[in-house]
Amino acid sequence: MPDLLLELFSEEIPARMQAKAADDLRRMVTDKLVAEGLVYEGAKAFATPRRLALTVHGIPARQPDLKTERRGPKMGAPDAAVQGFLKATGLQSLDEAKIQKDPKGDFYIALIEKPGSAAIDVIAEILPVIIRTFPWPKSMRWGERSAKPGSLSWVRPLHSIIATFGIETEEPDVVKFSVDGIEAGQTTYGHRFMAPAAISVRRFEDYEAKLKAAKVVLDLQARKDIILADAKELAFAQGFELVEDQVLLDEVAGLVEWPVALMGSFDQEYLTIPDEVIRATIRNNQKCFVVRDPKTGKLANKFILTANIEATDGGKVIVAGNERVIRARLSDAKFFYETDLKTKLEARLPKFEQIVFHEKLGTQAERIKRIERLAAEIAPLVGADVEKAKRAAHLAKADLVTEVVGEFPELQGLMGKYYALAQREDASVAAASEEHYKPQGPADRVPTDPVSVTVALADKIDTLVGFWAIDEKPTGSKDPYALRRAALGVIRLILENTLRLPILNVAKSAMAGLPAKGDAPKLPADLLAFFADRLKVQLRDQGARHDLVDAVFSLGGQHDLLLVVRRVEALGKFLDTDDGKNLLAGAKRASNILSIEEKKDKRTFDGAPDAGLYKLPEEKALAVAIDQVKQEAAAAVRQEDFATAMSAMAKLRPAVDAFFDKVKVNDDEPSVRENRLKLLNEIRAATRAVADFSKIEG
Amino acid sequence: MPGYGQAPLSPPSPPIALTGQGPGTYFAAPQKPKKSAALNPVARFQGPPEPDRPPMAASPAKAPSFQELILRLQTYWAKQGCVILQPYDVEMGAGTFHPATTLRALGGKPWKAAYVQPSRRPKDGRYGENPNRLQHYYQFQVIMKPSPPNLQDLYLKSLAAIGIDSSIHDIRFVEDDWESPTLGAWGLGWECWCDGMEVSQFTYFQQVAGVECAPVAGELTYGLERLAMYVQGVDRVYDLNFNGRDGADKVTYGDVFLQAEQEYSRHNFEHSDSDMLFKQFVMAEEACKKYLDAGWKDGKREAHLMALPAYDQCIKASHVFNLLDARGVISVTERQSYIGRVRELAKACGDAWVHTEAGRAV
């Protein structure tokens, strides 16, 4: 079956857009092919700075023929309706229509046969539309044609298009179409500097090979592999080790068609700057890799750049030029760093009075004060030294107004730590500058030092409560203040450090310090529900049952997340046992019967059953078991020993089973029936010592 | 050390910016040839062995002087059909403000021009003490409307014309979208890198003065001092050879501009008359509006007869704002409002311009 080759050759496409563009191209073309009845065997897309390419193989040469039936008017319908039907279906007269019998009156049916088109013609119609509607994040107009409305928009000027279609053994055909004056053909161009001449190609195989000969590596992954391997080799040859950087690698591979790794140096004197600052300088501004000494783990005074050409001088001039720029950059970074060290962190705090955190939540200075206060309250709950926690909270944000962080925002916190250590702060206080931002995501490390934990909690809870108070909660996919991440951070801080933190109490304290109060009475419950949701997501990601989270939160008053999770774990284990499963079945059965009867009688069956009305031994036995289990479970729960509480619950099971086996709930005698329903209610009540069983699925 | 006056203590930070009002990027710093520098391309990419070259020399020929660089660029772009204009006689922050770019980018008529424009960034003054920061520097500006299909090639050939050989230099087009909030303008394009250093900006204007460009113009901006430092291998702007002579006849960039940098830095940071400047801003703003109002032919908004004089006042307002900003007398919140006021003037001028003979659609 035939294959399609498509190439869109343009001026330099931003590196960050290439991978998605290749993916979009593949998706749009193949979706459209399938929608047109052209089911293909495989497709692969490619991107370089100057081209998007797509190969689709195994496309049928023709669309299948389409047969459709179209229902027309009833027999004897007015002439206008008949004429309309004929016109719409292309039939000459009603003689060509079929008649379909129907009890409500027979009607005409037109059989329309649409022969499939040649695939190449279908593709010629599909491609211009895809090119015109391509979803670039930003696109532009250019050249003479941009004088007229409706001219083509592309990420950068589009120069030529290859579109060929055909089977392997024959000369393929050019798919004939044009977009904004660009005719599809079979010509492309090689590397901008090393092989700029036109190249004529037939199909994907010779296209890729000819490009390679013309110094273009089409495949992004191949370019990445080359850069990585060569960079490692260069570093290794000098006795160093490449500091790998996936994001940088992706970007650099999107800036070159023919990657050539080269190594350069900078003066040793710059190694007095923290490694992270050197790396940020070299990486962000110059898009170069850094290398480290494998023995010390410290950076070496070398960097690796990726050129786009094999220079005729072996790269000497390129390396020298990059060294000049990197030296200037490092000289600035050193100046920033040394300037920062001259000012103490606390001396920077007045600046925060001028910086608005959020227009409704006051300045950064006010926020820092709130975090300090909250940290002082949380510290004893977490086992942190109160004074250290306050000091840490006081300084934790100060580096935001330093020169280095101004230049490299991603070094926030880390620089605070360096500056705090430089002014001889306590090690825990200094560490909190960096650690209080953690965990930043599900994969990030959770701090363990109690001082860091305290400030991290205070920072996140202030954020959450604040945005809750001004009603800026996340909705759907929108979470501009990263509140979900903050809540998950709080959860992980608590669970992984096994902290006992009454969240509602802390949230209420946090609220007290806010300039905006919002819907104060409702806020805590609302926020707790948000935590419950995040916890469910968290547990589900770990493979736990999220319905059990509901079953525990449904008990009310559960705001000690560590206990909630322990309860959920114990419940999960219990429900894995036969006792657990059967008790759940029994409790659910009791619940179901009760809700039916409650509905019927329009009343509830609260209140203690009357022991005098028990007629059968199973009733009495159940009543006794309930009493005993209630006490034992309650005692165990008080001890926070949920496993024992669950074992106690297990004792209910035989009594419940026997009760349902032998006892008819809806006794003819109303007083007995009522009493039995009350007893069922007691089962429900007893199980609530550990969870709301009605929320458990299954 | 002479004080920095009211200026915020700034490190040797952004140097001579290229276009627009965006933050500048960095100059290349000194390079002392180092025998030990590792230059090991991986084996399979290794070119033929070559005799040692001095690292910076693009070619064995002597690197062009500062003025030679300008002359070569002018000659080159003249050959491409550009009119070679002289600098505009009003102070401005970037070559883009020249009416030959801002206004001529609008309207349907073809337009090709190239010129040097002195660019004033009062805030970037460093009393002549920073090796690559100036409050007055030169941009070389090229505009071609409509953007020709081979504009990238034309640009690369212009680099060759000033001695940058693409067989030994790594020249790259790195994404850089341009936006000027003061001009109500934006475009897409690149920073052009040579061996890791940004040497030019390349922009396809999409909108200028709030008006859609039809057709689109291509704009190139060369930072001349930076380029000259690169091709001459100089690490301090004041050491640039200005006239290409040696010995007693040699004139450096410092000979020409060092004193000016010192004097203007004093002026910009310490002595400029804020009261007068605040008044001048308002005067320029009012004059601009007055000329725009008066310029509509027969009072109907069909043809405009004074777009250019009105636009001069817009440029003046913008420069006065920059002076006030350097003096540190405009707060963060006011800053946005001043930028907005200049933008409104620019937009009104753009609207007037497209109703003139040269600015109409065709």
Side-chain angles (χ1 to χ4, degrees):
Chain A
M1 277 198 286
D3 302 338
L4 168 69
L5 169 65
L6 176 67
E7 185 205 58
L8 303 161
F9 179 76
S10 68
E11 298 179 11
E12 276 76 356
I13 305 168
R16 66 188 170 93
M17 300 178 187
Q18 291 167 20
K20 178 169 184 296
D23 211 44
D24 285 341
L25 183 65
R26 184 189 48 74
R27 182 181 45 78
M28 289 173 88
V29 172
T30 55
D31 283 0
K32 209 79 182 98
L33 286 174
V34 171
E36 292 290 340
L38 296 168
V39 178
Y40 62 98
E41 282 170 8
K44 190 166 184 203
F46 304 88
T48 79
R50 296 173 82 201
R51 59 198 96 220
L52 290 183
L54 174 70
T55 168
V56 185
H57 67 269
I59 303 174
R62 297 194 70 81
Q63 280 178 315
D65 296 345
L66 277 179
K67 280 185 192 166
T68 49
E69 286 192 348
R70 185 158 165 165
R71 188 185 159 134
K74 281 186 190 160
M75 288 184 76
D79 193 49
V82 172
Q83 289 309 320
F85 173 61
L86 292 178
K87 202 173 164 193
T89 55
L91 300 188
Q92 296 301 316
S93 72
L94 285 176
D95 301 343
E96 293 174 16
K98 240 175 51 174
I99 293 164
Q100 181 140 335
K101 300 278 181 206
D102 192 281
K104 290 184 199 153
D106 301 347
F107 55 86
Y108 295 106
I109 292 268
L111 279 177
I112 305 169
E113 277 192 38
K114 191 181 160 223
S117 304
I120 191 168
D121 297 336
V122 177
I123 294 168
E125 280 179 28
I126 290 174
L127 294 181
V129 177
I130 289 173
I131 292 168
R132 285 195 171 273
T133 57
F134 200 78
W136 292 108
K138 268 187 187 169
S139 59
M140 54 162 278
R141 300 167 296 119
W142 67 92
E144 222 168 316
R145 285 177 174 259
S146 60
K148 302 269 177 294
S151 65
L152 177 64
S153 267
W154 199 248
V155 62
R156 291 296 183 275
L158 180 65
H159 282 272
S160 63
I161 301 172
I162 291 177
T164 66
F165 186 75
I167 57 174
E168 204 176 338
T169 49
E170 288 171 15
E171 194 63 28
D173 293 318
V174 169
V175 182
K176 289 214 165 27
F177 68 93
S178 76
V179 182
D180 221 37
I182 306 165
E183 288 284 338
Q186 41 191 148
T187 304
T188 187
Y189 303 86
H191 187 280
R192 184 185 277 290
F193 299 108
M194 291 191 288
I199 303 168
S200 182
V201 301
R202 297 169 60 242
R203 43 189 299 108
F204 181 71
E205 289 70 20
D206 70 314
Y207 167 75
E208 193 181 25
K210 283 176 179 165
L211 278 184
K212 189 149 200 187
K215 307 291 185 188
V216 174
V217 180
L218 184 61
D219 188 9
L220 175 73
Q221 189 56 48
R223 292 196 303 275
K224 280 161 64 172
D225 293 346
I226 291 170
I227 297 167
L228 189 61
D230 292 354
K232 279 182 173 171
E233 194 182 319
L234 279 176
F236 180 76
Q238 304 263 326
F240 301 119
E241 178 178 86
L242 180 73
V243 176
E244 291 191 36
D245 186 329
Q246 197 54 47
V247 176
L248 181 63
L249 183 60
D250 282 342
E251 183 180 6
V252 168
L255 288 171
V256 293
E257 291 204 308
W258 191 256
V260 178
L262 296 165
M263 185 183 261
S265 317
F266 53 87
D267 274 359
Q268 290 275 359
E269 62 163 314
Y270 296 118
L271 292 175
T272 55
I273 314 171
D275 279 3
E276 293 86 349
V277 179
I278 295 178
R279 185 175 172 197
T281 303
I282 290 180
R283 159 196 215 275
N284 301 14
N285 297 321
Q286 295 308 124
K287 307 187 196 308
C288 295
F289 296 90
V290 289
V291 303
R292 64 166 89 86
D293 181 338
K295 290 186 284 288
T296 60
K298 292 277 295 168
L299 290 191
N301 63 329
K302 303 279 174 193
F303 64 90
I304 291 170
L305 70 101
T306 313
N308 188 33
I309 58 164
E310 286 172 43
T312 52
D313 68 349
K316 285 183 190 178
V317 168
I318 295 172
V319 168
N322 277 274
E323 284 178 344
R324 270 165 64 107
V325 185
I326 280 185
R327 177 169 171 165
R329 298 274 195 189
L330 286 176
S331 152
D332 286 350
K334 188 162 184 269
F335 182 91
F336 288 141
Y337 176 62
E338 287 169 357
T339 303
D340 283 349
L341 285 174
K342 288 179 191 150
T343 308
K344 285 203 150 199
L345 288 171
E346 53 267 53
R348 299 181 181 280
L349 293 176
K351 270 200 175 175
F352 288 91
E353 286 160 22
Q354 309 301 320
I355 304 171
V356 175
F357 170 63
H358 184 285
E359 105 192 86
K360 292 180 187 163
L361 293 173
T363 64
Q364 282 278 25
E366 291 170 304
R367 184 166 131 79
I368 291 170
K369 289 207 180 77
R370 290 200 300 269
I371 296 173
E372 271 179 66
R373 251 195 324 266
L374 206 53
E377 280 189 43
I378 294 172
L381 303 171
V382 169
D385 180 283
V386 175
E387 288 312 310
K388 281 186 192 171
K390 277 166 72 178
R391 178 75 182 159
H394 188 64
L395 299 180
K397 303 286 183 195
D399 70 342
L400 291 178
V401 294
T402 60
E403 301 283 348
V404 170
V405 175
E407 191 71 8
F408 304 113
E410 72 270 28
L411 297 184
Q412 68 174 24
L414 180 75
M415 295 318 296
K417 181 176 86 174
Y418 284 131
Y419 298 143
L421 288 173
Q423 65 183 50
R424 300 184 191 288
E425 296 292 334
D426 174 87
S428 290
V429 171
S433 280
E434 183 184 17
E435 304 256 292
H436 84 280
Y437 290 108
K438 293 178 181 294
Q440 297 266 20
D444 198 13
R445 190 174 52 79
V446 173
T448 51
D449 183 304
V451 174
S452 292
V453 171
T454 302
V455 184
L457 284 169
D459 184 25
K460 290 171 177 63
I461 291 173
D462 176 76
T463 303
L464 284 163
V465 172
F467 285 103
W468 240 255
I470 61 169
D471 203 24
E472 288 278 1
K473 303 167 205 171
T475 50
S477 59
K478 288 206 186 79
D479 184 9
Y481 303 107
L483 301 179
R484 291 194 179 101
R485 192 169 76 188
L488 183 61
V490 171
I491 291 170
R492 290 189 56 204
L493 280 161
I494 290 175
L495 299 184
E496 293 180 30
N497 289 300
T498 58
L499 302 179
R500 302 296 306 278
L501 197 78
I503 279 212
L504 283 181
N505 303 0
V506 178
K508 280 176 194 153
S509 307
M511 274 170 69
L514 286 176
K517 295 282 185 273
D519 189 353
K522 269 182 62 187
L523 192 151
D526 206 25
L527 187 59
L528 188 63
F530 184 66
F531 273 111
D533 278 346
R534 299 331 299 161
L535 185 60
K536 265 193 272 183
V537 173
Q538 159 90 347
L539 291 179
R540 191 172 55 208
D541 290 350
Q542 292 172 1
R545 290 174 53 175
H546 59 92
D547 56 328
L548 304 188
V549 178
D550 280 334
V552 172
F553 272 105
S554 176
L555 295 175
Q558 301 295 319
H559 66 125
D560 184 326
L561 298 180
L562 186 66
L563 288 193
V564 168
V565 170
R566 285 195 182 154
R567 220 183 254 261
V568 166
E569 283 166 0
L571 187 58
K573 274 187 197 145
F574 178 53
L575 292 175
D576 284 342
T577 65
D578 279 347
D579 280 346
K581 286 190 189 107
N582 284 313
L583 180 65
L584 175 63
K588 280 196 168 262
R589 191 167 164 190
S591 256
N592 289 343
I593 295 170
L594 267 169
S595 60
I596 291 166
E597 301 307 318
E598 279 171 350
K599 224 185 231 164
K600 215 186 271 171
D601 291 18
K602 299 195 171 57
R603 57 162 290 197
T604 59
F605 297 95
D606 302 336
D610 179 352
L613 288 169
Y614 294 143
K615 289 186 358 193
L616 299 171
E618 286 79 7
E619 281 179 280
K620 289 178 196 144
L622 179 59
V624 170
I626 286 173
D627 271 350
Q628 186 191 348
V629 164
K630 248 188 186 168
Q631 281 176 29
E632 280 179 33
V637 167
R638 271 195 300 279
Q639 303 290 314
E640 294 167 3
D641 180 354
F642 299 108
T644 305
M646 297 298 163
S647 319
M649 282 294 138
K651 291 181 192 161
L652 261 185
R653 178 205 161 185
V656 171
D657 286 354
F659 178 85
F660 282 122
D661 212 21
K662 301 279 187 224
V663 181
K664 182 182 160 204
V665 176
N666 283 323
D667 195 82
D668 300 335
E669 176 65 44
S671 62
V672 173
R673 169 176 172 268
E674 186 188 330
N675 206 48
R676 286 180 181 165
L677 286 168
K678 281 181 174 169
L679 191 57
L680 287 189
N681 194 43
E682 286 290 291
I683 299 177
R684 192 160 65 175
T687 53
R688 283 186 67 93
V690 292
D692 179 350
F693 277 50
S694 69
K695 300 278 182 199
I696 300 172
E697 289 166 9
Chain B
M1 149 178 166
Y4 271 48
Q6 296 296 312
L9 175 70
S10 298
S13 53
I16 297 159
L18 288 168
T19 51
Q21 299 284 308
T25 28
Y26 292 75
F27 257 122
Q31 163 64 29
K32 298 189 184 73
K34 263 185 255 166
K35 283 274 180 259
S36 65
L39 305 164
N40 309 328
V42 245
R44 72 189 146 82
F45 289 131
Q46 209 145 30
E50 283 209 23
D52 253 0
R53 290 174 196 258
M56 282 330 297
S59 68
K62 193 180 163 194
S65 66
F66 189 67
Q67 65 198 35
E68 174 68 20
L69 196 73
I70 293 173
L71 292 171
R72 286 197 202 172
L73 284 172
Q74 287 187 341
T75 308
Y76 174 83
W77 287 105
K79 281 189 193 146
Q80 313 309 322
C82 290
V83 294
I84 302 301
L85 296 174
Q86 300 308 313
Y88 203 59
D89 55 349
V90 177
E91 304 108 308
M92 57 181 69
T96 307
F97 278 83
H98 195 309
T101 292
T102 305
L103 295 181
R104 291 278 181 173
L106 297 174
K109 290 188 176 153
W111 175 249
K112 293 182 195 173
Y115 54 89
V116 173
Q117 181 61 47
S119 303
R120 299 205 183 215
R121 302 279 169 100
K123 238 183 172 170
D124 285 352
R126 291 296 179 268
Y127 296 82
E129 289 167 8
N130 185 289
N132 46 27
R133 282 272 241 170
L134 300 164
Q135 57 82 43
H136 169 287
Y137 66 103
Y138 288 117
Q139 290 185 337
F140 190 87
Q141 180 87 4
V142 179
I143 176 161
M144 295 185 119
K145 181 179 75 170
S147 64
N150 60 339
L151 187 55
Q152 279 186 312
D153 285 338
L154 292 178
Y155 168 70
L156 293 170
K157 286 186 184 134
S158 78
L159 292 185
I162 54 174
I164 295 179
D165 171 1
S166 65
S167 70
I168 54 168
H169 288 284
D170 185 25
I171 300 166
R172 229 76 81 66
F173 294 91
V174 179
E175 178 190 16
D176 185 37
D177 302 341
W178 174 79
E179 196 181 351
S180 168
T182 18
L183 282 179
W186 72 276
L188 297 189
W190 309 274
E191 318 176 329
C192 306
W193 284 25
C194 177
D195 303 334
M197 183 178 68
E198 183 192 350
V199 291
S200 316
Q201 285 192 352
F202 189 131
T203 308
Y204 290 102
F205 283 151
Q206 302 294 300
Q207 195 190 67
V208 173
V211 181
E212 289 292 304
C213 298
V216 161
E219 183 213 40
L220 301 171
T221 304
Y222 304 73
L224 286 173
E225 284 81 356
R226 190 194 298 220
L227 259 179
M229 286 170 75
Y230 194 66
V231 295
Q232 291 186 16
V234 160
D235 59 5
R236 183 173 167 264
V237 65
Y238 301 107
D239 295 339
L240 279 174
N241 187 331
F242 206 108
N243 66 347
R245 300 298 180 96
D246 295 317
D249 290 339
K250 176 173 162 181
V251 177
T252 66
Y253 194 91
D255 294 333
V256 183
F257 284 119
L258 180 58
Q259 183 182 328
E261 282 299 313
Q262 293 163 343
E263 293 190 4
Y264 276 101
S265 294
R266 270 173 226 131
H267 164 267
N268 298 344
F269 294 131
E270 302 169 52
H271 297 287
S272 70
D273 186 335
S274 305
D275 292 342
M276 177 194 75
L277 291 171
F278 277 120
K279 283 183 203 142
Q280 283 187 349
F281 184 90
V282 176
M283 286 165 74
E285 185 183 39
E286 283 173 357
C288 180
K289 289 177 181 165
K290 189 187 285 176
Y291 305 159
L292 284 171
D293 281 347
W296 293 107
K297 190 182 174 192
D298 306 326
K300 286 182 274 188
R301 295 180 78 86
E302 285 162 7
H304 203 282
L305 305 174
M306 270 201 302
L308 287 162
Y311 179 65
D312 282 354
Q313 298 302 319
C314 169
I315 308 176
K316 282 182 206 278
S318 169
H319 176 62
V320 170
F321 162 74
N322 286 340
L323 284 170
L324 286 165
D325 196 27
R327 195 79 165 79
V329 291
I330 292 183
S331 76
V332 180
T333 35
E334 281 173 323
R335 207 168 177 278
Q336 284 315 309
S337 132
Y338 273 98
I339 291 173
R341 282 160 75 179
V342 177
R343 180 170 56 243
E344 287 316 307
L345 297 180
K347 283 185 169 176
C349 291
D351 182 40
W353 173 258
V354 296
H355 290 88
T356 67
E357 194 47 40
R360 281 180 202 290
V362 288

